[in-house]
Amino acid sequence: MDHRATTLPMPPGWPARIRAVESGELTPPVPKPSATVVLLRDAADGPEAYLLRRRTSMAFAAGMYAYPGGGVDPRDAEAELGWAGPGPAQWARRLGVDARTAQAVVCAAVRETFEEAGVLLAGPDADSTAEPRDWTAERAALEAHELSFADFLRSHGLLLRSDLLAGWARWVTPAFEERRYDTWFFVAALPPGQCAAQEVGEADKVAWLSPAEAVSGYEEGRYGMLPPTVTVLRELLPVRDAAGALDAAAGRSLDPILGRAEVRGDRMTVRWSGYEELTIDGDFPENR
C-alpha cells in the first residue's frame, strides 16, 4: 500500500477537544461496541460496495458515505437464536472478545445489514438464505427496538448465517471525538436473489461503487468519508470479486486501529499507526 502522507483538513471541533483531553479537562467517552458490513456484489469489472450517504441531520458522520452498520444490542448477547456457521466461541477468538460479546457483535452486523440495506444474511437452513419478500414492517420494528433480532429470526424460522460474514478490521474512534465507537468491520457478498434497498431512512442516497471509483471520488472531494471507510476501500482495490474479499479477510489482523493526537504548542498531529496517508498535521493556534 502507498503510505504517502497528505495534508488533510482538521475537522473544526477537533483542536479544542484535543487540547481538552491533553490537559485532562475532558474525559474521553467510552467507545460503544458496533458493527458495520461492507456488502459486495460482483460486476463486470470486479466487485462493487454498497455505500449510504448519511443525512446531514445525523449526529455522527453527517453527509458522509458509510456502510450499513450500527450499535450492538445488549439483548443479543444473551439471546437463544438459530445459528448456522462458526459459533460465538469461534467468533470470540477471531474478534478478540468473549463469546457473549462476539454473539452480540455478529448479530449487530447481520441485523444492521437487514435494517439499513434490506439484505438478510439468514435462512431457513445452513445452506440457503431467506426468499425475497417485503420486510418493511419488520425492519422498522427492529430499528425502533420494538423487536429483538432473536425474536425476529425465531418468528420466521430463520438461522443467522454467520458463515456469510468475514472479519476485515476493527477501528476505534479517537479519544477526542464527542461520539466514540469500537467498530468491527465485516465483508459479505450479496446473497443470490436478494437486492439491496434503494431508499434508506438514515441516508439520502445509496450507491454501488467499485473500490477504485469510490477512492478516486474521495480523493477528488466528491465523496466524503471517514478514515476507516476509505481505508477499507483502498484495501479492497486488489480484490477481483466478492468471494476473493472473503478469502482475503481470513488472513487479516483484527487488532484495534486507533487515531492518536500529538500536541506541541500550536502544532497538532493526528496519526493512525500504519496508515500515514490519513495523517492530519498543521498549526492550530488556540485562539483560532
Side-chain angles (χ1 to χ4, degrees):
M1 181 185 295
D2 184 356
H3 289 298
R4 291 172 297 177
T6 57
T7 305
L8 298 177
M10 178 78 77
W14 278 16
R17 292 185 64 83
I18 289 171
R19 284 194 174 89
V21 170
E22 182 87 357
S23 67
E25 298 173 11
L26 180 65
T27 300
V30 176
K32 296 180 179 179
S34 62
T36 190
V37 176
V38 187
L39 189 63
L40 299 167
R41 72 177 184 186
D42 290 327
D45 297 325
E48 295 176 333
Y50 182 76
L51 289 156
L52 316 167
R53 188 173 68 184
R54 293 169 61 84
R55 295 186 183 277
T56 55
S57 58
M58 300 296 293
F60 181 78
M64 297 287 184
Y65 279 83
Y67 312 112
V72 164
D73 184 343
R75 294 177 294 180
D76 291 335
E78 305 289 350
E80 295 288 336
L81 71 165
W83 194 287
Q90 189 170 343
W91 274 107
R93 293 190 290 272
R94 178 68 176 124
L95 302 179
V97 295
D98 60 77
R100 291 174 62 257
T101 302
Q103 175 171 308
V105 170
V106 172
C107 280
V110 176
R111 186 192 67 246
E112 291 291 331
T113 304
F114 181 51
E115 279 184 25
E116 296 195 350
V119 171
L120 185 52
L121 304 176
D125 54 54
D127 300 310
S128 62
T129 54
E131 290 293 328
R133 53 162 284 185
D134 183 2
W135 296 105
T136 303
E138 289 84 354
R139 290 168 61 200
L142 285 166
E143 187 173 359
H145 300 284
E146 297 168 353
L147 177 68
S148 74
F149 193 56
D151 287 341
F152 162 73
L153 293 176
R154 197 159 33 242
S155 65
H156 293 281
L158 298 173
L159 305 177
L160 181 151
R161 292 282 309 276
S162 80
D163 57 310
L164 299 180
L165 290 171
W168 188 267
R170 180 182 179 183
W171 288 74
V172 181
T173 312
F176 49 81
E177 277 277 40
E178 184 176 1
R179 290 176 174 80
R180 301 189 67 207
Y181 301 93
D182 183 353
T183 305
W184 283 267
F185 285 70
F186 297 86
V187 291
L190 179 68
Q194 294 197 35
C195 296
Q198 294 302 304
E199 294 185 5
V200 179
E202 294 184 354
D204 60 13
K205 186 176 182 180
V206 301
W208 284 100
L209 299 173
S210 70
E213 182 181 0
V215 170
S216 65
Y218 166 82
E219 293 173 346
E220 294 164 5
R222 293 184 286 112
Y223 302 137
M225 298 180 196
L226 293 177
T229 307
V230 68
T231 298
V232 170
L233 289 164
R234 285 175 174 145
E235 292 166 343
L236 286 168
L237 287 172
V239 173
R240 295 190 175 184
D241 54 29
L246 272 72
D247 290 341
R252 291 185 53 83
S253 168
L254 296 188
D255 291 340
I257 301 165
L258 174 65
R260 301 183 185 278
E262 302 171 4
V263 181
R264 298 291 182 271
D266 288 340
R267 191 165 196 83
M268 289 189 184
T269 307
V270 182
R271 303 182 192 278
W272 284 261
S273 180
Y275 298 89
E276 294 306 312
E277 73 278 7
L278 300 177
T279 299
I280 298 174
D281 182 65
D283 290 328
F284 300 92
E286 193 164 1
N287 62 352
R288 179 183 291 185

